[in-house]
Amino acid sequence: MPRLTARFWVDAYLTRLRLQDIPAFVVAHGDDTGGAVLVKLATLDGRAVLFQRSFDLMTGDRKWIELAAGDEAEVDATVTRQRGFDPDLWVIEVEDRQGRHLLDEPGLS
């Protein structure tokens, strides 16, 4: 099955967020074709959650898992470490007091 490029997925995700009036920004522009994507959800109270897309080897499904959560500075440190391992990594920051990220919606896994 053909895969979407990272750039196409990021653009589609940002559009979905924009349609729901949820602010989001590209913090780190990764590789356009095959870069992995991290999504940081900042709830604007000093806390954040970092999501990473994971591949389930048993089912073949992709799903978003929580990579880190807690104090925003600690989550940012996790992002920095991940970027050190993978310079092609995309980082999207979503800012929403209600904690909406839309990653559980169909088509985003």
Side-chain angles (χ1 to χ4, degrees), residues 41 46-51 66-72 74-76 78:
L41 170 64
R47 316 253 327 137
V49 181
L50 184 64
F51 296 96
E66 189 177 293
L67 184 61
D71 182 71
E72 188 168 5
E74 292 173 14
V75 172
D76 286 340
T78 300

Side-chain angles (χ1 to χ4, degrees), residues 23-25 27 38-51 67-81 91-97:
F25 313 91
V27 175
L38 294 180
V39 175
K40 175 187 160 190
L41 170 64
T43 52
L44 306 175
D45 60 357
R47 316 253 327 137
V49 181
L50 184 64
F51 296 96
L67 184 61
D71 182 71
E72 188 168 5
E74 292 173 14
V75 172
D76 286 340
T78 300
V79 170
T80 300
R81 280 192 302 277
V91 180
I92 309 301
E93 182 164 338
V94 178
E95 295 180 346
D96 188 67
R97 291 185 193 283

